[in-house]
């Protein structure tokens, strides 16, 4: 088999890999991409996008059962669970097809198979154990992503699900246990609760959504419990006893064991980087707890080998992977205006109901770092648009450096906050101060006005509260 020469070869076609390939092609590199499953990776096919399609269906289902609040009425409300799942898969398929078009448009050679490094600047591509191609390139970008972490006793089957099985069930469970209350866990908990399942969430930490600001976590817990969700924090699943069509969970809370039966279990206890079987033993690439070690320019210890996205250190977010892709390729090109990624400027979003979004430091983290802080809050109930929408629950919180006025962090919970958070993301990137935000005019009536009011509140200038 003859060796094919490229300038850049990308392993993995997720939101990191395909963006790296497109940007490389735009900059004049002869580019190839290797993907063993579907173009678009986990995000488009099994993560970000199809879960939002599912959540949209559940939100509409919830709304249909609360029409009276809007002066509307509907009878005999029902749903076709198979159609809900099918719609989610069609959305994923449509977007994966769009990536295929982008590869063709940008003259990127796509190899269907698994890539493995063979040493300096070389790699092989195989499919089902059979050789597909031998490639050579001075620059190889590893963007192989990650998979669900599987703990002993939580191995997936028809009763115990990871995110993959949770997205394509054949029937709607009546009762569900969700292990882990991070973004993935709470999104699935919210989806199944709004579709009518009895949902219990077990979290090892002392609060749900543990990476969020403590005030957000506390508000979220109250909101979920008000919806009828059972939340068990400071707890762990000691054992699962699988039956023919249900699971008995032994839940340990401070040494007290409670046995509860569920139709199904979702394990959402983190991810593991796909760093195995890549031929890294043939290189100087270092791996730490499943994730490849890189510097600020996404370079590994092996010259000419780079890594981006979920296979490197967190936060493990699609938009972070895409941004790293651009940084990596532009640095290879030698462009002058390339800047390292500032993790503190990356927004995080959880699409449960109510939605959660944040960027930067929590109040506690800011204080830990030695900042004197000014904190502002503004509730949804004080916003005209939120009341008109029938979405009065939630709040916006901002954290500032009391000495310089720097925006250190912003945290939100409520309707559409995942769309609003980017305003604070831009503010942080531009290094705006409280003065800049004071003088920014926010349109009325919008939910975004709460962003302004929260800033004003931090400095004793709030208007509508």
């Amino acid at each position: 088999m003859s060796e094919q020469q490229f300038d850049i070869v990308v392993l993995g076609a997720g939101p990191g890999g395909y963006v790296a390939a497109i940007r490389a092609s735009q900059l004049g590199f002869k580019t190839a991409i290797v993907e063993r499953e579907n173009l678009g990776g986990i995000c488009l096919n099994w993560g970000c996008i199809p879960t939002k399609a599912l959540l949209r269906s559940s939100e509409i289902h919830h709304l249909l059962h609360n029409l009276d609040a809007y002066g509307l009425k509907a009878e005999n409300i029902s749903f076709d669970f198979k159609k809900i799942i099918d719609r989610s898969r069609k959305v994923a398929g449509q977007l994966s097809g769009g990536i295929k078009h982008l590869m063709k448009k940008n003259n990127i050679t796509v190899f269907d198979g698994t890539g493995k490094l063979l040493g300096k600047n070389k790699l092989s591509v195989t499919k089902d154990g059979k050789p597909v191609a031998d490639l050579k390139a001075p620059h190889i970008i590893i963007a192989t992503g990650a998979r669900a972490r599987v703990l002993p006793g939580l191995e997936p089957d028809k009763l115990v699900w990871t995110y993959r099985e949770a997205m394509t069930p054949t029937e709607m469970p009546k009762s569900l246990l969700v292990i882990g209350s991070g973004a993935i866990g709470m999104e699935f908990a919210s989806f199944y609760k709004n579709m009518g399942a009895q949902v219990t969430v077990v979290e090892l930490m002392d609060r749900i959504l543990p990476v969020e600001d403590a005030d957000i976590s506390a508000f979220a817990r109250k909101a979920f419990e008000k919806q009828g969700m059972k939340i068990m924090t400071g707890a762990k699943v000691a054992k699962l006893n699988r039956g023919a069509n249900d699971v008995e969970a032994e839940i340990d809370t401070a040494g007290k064991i409670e046995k509860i039966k569920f139709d199904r279990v979702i394990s959402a206890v983190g991810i593991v980087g796909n760093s195995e079987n890549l031929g890294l033993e043939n290189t100087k690439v270092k791996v730490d707890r499943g994730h490849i070690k890189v510097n600020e320019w996404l370079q590994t210890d092996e010259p000419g080998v780079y890594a981006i996205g979920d296979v490197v250190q967190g936060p493990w977010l699609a938009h972070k992977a895409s941004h790293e892709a651009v940084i990596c390729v532009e640095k290879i090109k030698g462009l002058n205006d390339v800047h390292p990624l500032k993790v503190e400027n990356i927004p995080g979003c959880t699409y449960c109901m109510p939605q959660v979004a944040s960027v930067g430091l929590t109040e506690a983290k800011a204080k830990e770092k030695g900042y004197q802080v000014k904190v502002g809050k503004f509730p949804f109930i004080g916003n005209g648009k939120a009341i008109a929408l029938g979405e009065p629950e939630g709040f916006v919180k901002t954290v500032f450096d009391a000495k310089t006025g720097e925006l250190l962090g912003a945290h939100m919970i409520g309707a559409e906050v995942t769309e609003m958070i980017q305003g604070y993301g831009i503010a942080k990137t531009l290094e705006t101060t409280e003065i800049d935000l004071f003088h920014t005019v926010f349109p009325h009536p919008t939910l975004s006005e709460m962003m302004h009011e929260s800033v004003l509140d931090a400095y004793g200038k709030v208007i509508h509260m």
Side-chain angles (χ1 to χ4, degrees):
M1 185 180 297
S2 60
E3 193 172 72
Q4 299 185 52
Q5 178 76 46
F6 293 90
D7 298 321
I8 290 180
V9 174
V10 183
L11 298 184
Y18 83 73
V19 170
I22 291 172
R23 188 67 185 120
S25 179
Q26 289 174 343
L27 291 173
F29 291 111
K30 183 182 180 183
T31 307
I33 195 164
V34 181
E35 174 56 53
R36 67 182 182 184
E37 292 186 51
N38 305 110
L39 294 175
I42 294 297
C43 177
L44 265 65
N45 294 282
W46 296 101
C48 320
I49 302 303
T51 54
K52 303 312 161 284
L54 292 176
L55 285 161
R56 178 61 173 164
S57 292
S58 72
E59 289 164 3
I60 293 172
H61 185 252
H62 173 81
L63 187 61
L64 286 171
H65 283 82
N66 291 274
L67 288 176
D68 187 63
Y70 299 89
L72 301 172
K73 184 178 181 181
E75 298 178 353
N76 302 319
I77 298 167
S78 63
F79 61 86
D80 186 326
F81 198 55
K82 184 178 183 301
K83 283 187 177 181
I84 290 172
I85 302 302
D86 287 347
R87 177 180 179 270
S88 172
R89 302 316 308 152
K90 286 177 182 176
V91 169
Q94 179 181 342
L95 289 170
S96 183
I99 302 303
K100 183 178 181 180
H101 167 73
L102 288 173
M103 296 297 99
K104 184 176 180 180
K105 176 185 175 184
N106 288 279
N107 298 312
I108 296 162
T109 303
V110 178
F111 291 96
D112 178 17
T114 300
K116 185 173 183 179
L117 278 67
L118 299 178
K120 189 169 182 62
N121 307 133
K122 293 184 178 182
L123 67 157
S124 64
V125 181
T126 59
K127 182 73 172 179
D128 300 325
K130 299 177 181 178
V132 173
D134 289 327
L135 310 180
K136 187 173 183 180
H139 305 287
I140 298 170
I141 301 174
I142 301 172
T144 47
R147 62 189 183 278
R149 183 183 298 278
V150 177
L151 299 180
L154 298 181
E155 295 82 3
D157 57 17
K158 72 170 188 174
L159 300 174
V160 180
W161 299 339
T162 67
Y163 60 83
R164 285 211 179 203
E165 292 82 17
M167 252 183 285
T168 55
T170 56
E171 58 183 346
M172 174 73 187
K174 292 180 181 178
S175 60
L176 178 72
L177 169 63
V178 177
I179 305 172
S181 71
I184 294 173
M186 294 317 301
E187 286 183 3
F188 278 118
S190 195
F191 167 71
Y192 281 102
K193 182 69 190 72
N194 280 334
M195 294 307 300
Q198 292 296 316
V199 175
T200 298
V201 177
V202 171
E203 170 57 52
L204 185 62
M205 305 292 283
D206 61 355
R207 58 190 177 93
I208 62 170
L209 297 167
V211 302
E212 300 294 342
D213 187 271
D215 288 342
I216 297 290
S217 294
F219 190 97
R221 178 169 189 159
K222 288 181 181 178
F224 292 134
E225 289 180 333
K226 184 179 178 181
Q227 294 169 18
M229 198 179 294
K230 184 176 181 179
I231 308 285
M232 303 175 73
T233 52
K236 63 180 179 180
V237 176
K239 188 179 180 182
L240 290 180
N241 303 307
R242 308 184 197 214
N245 200 38
D246 60 18
V247 180
E248 182 187 68
E250 298 184 16
I251 302 172
D252 182 347
T253 307
K256 181 182 178 181
I257 300 293
E258 184 177 0
K259 295 182 179 181
I260 309 175
K261 279 195 174 183
F262 300 94
D263 288 341
R264 298 292 182 269
V265 176
I266 294 177
S267 177
V269 291
I271 64 168
V272 179
N274 293 322
S275 56
E276 309 95 339
N277 305 315
L278 297 176
L280 299 185
E281 65 276 8
N282 301 316
T283 71
K284 297 177 183 177
V285 175
K286 291 185 176 64
V287 178
D288 180 25
R289 288 171 289 182
H291 295 276
I292 295 174
K293 297 183 72 173
V294 294
N295 65 11
E296 62 184 349
W297 303 114
L298 296 313
Q299 298 162 334
T300 70
D301 287 351
E302 175 69 26
V305 177
Y306 314 79
I308 61 175
D310 285 1
V311 78
V312 302
Q313 66 266 25
W316 297 297
L317 301 166
H319 43 285
K320 178 251 196 184
S322 296
H323 200 80
E324 285 178 332
V326 174
I327 292 171
C328 180
V329 173
E330 291 187 348
K331 184 66 175 177
I332 291 172
K333 184 66 175 179
L335 300 185
N336 293 325
D337 59 346
V338 188
H339 302 284
L341 179 64
K342 292 185 177 180
V343 173
E344 63 270 23
N345 290 347
I346 303 173
C349 299
T350 304
Y351 297 82
C352 46
M353 196 180 80
Q355 293 181 5
V356 174
S358 60
V359 65
L361 299 175
T362 64
E363 180 180 355
K365 286 290 184 183
K367 290 177 178 177
E368 282 178 23
K369 287 180 174 287
Y371 288 103
Q372 295 179 23
V373 300
K374 284 185 177 289
V375 176
K377 288 185 183 178
F378 193 83
F380 270 53
I381 194 65
N383 177 263
K385 180 68 179 291
I387 295 171
L389 289 175
E391 300 282 1
E393 294 189 0
F395 67 90
V396 177
K397 177 178 180 177
T398 44
V399 182
F400 291 87
D401 181 345
K403 293 182 178 179
T404 66
E406 177 190 358
L407 176 64
L408 300 175
H411 311 275
M412 310 178 181
I413 184 167
E416 302 304 328
V417 297
T418 57
E419 297 293 337
M420 290 170 18
I421 192 63
Q422 188 55 14
Y424 286 131
I426 293 170
K428 280 189 59 58
T429 299
L430 296 178
E431 299 180 351
T432 56
T433 66
E434 88 284 14
I435 299 297
D436 300 311
L437 291 167
F438 286 168
H439 296 294
T440 299
V441 180
F442 288 74
H444 174 81
T446 63
L447 297 175
S448 67
E449 290 175 274
M450 290 182 285
M451 298 167 64
H452 194 212
E453 293 274 17
S454 179
V455 174
L456 294 172
D457 182 57
Y459 289 84
K461 298 182 178 184
V462 66
I463 302 296
H464 292 97
M465 185 175 66

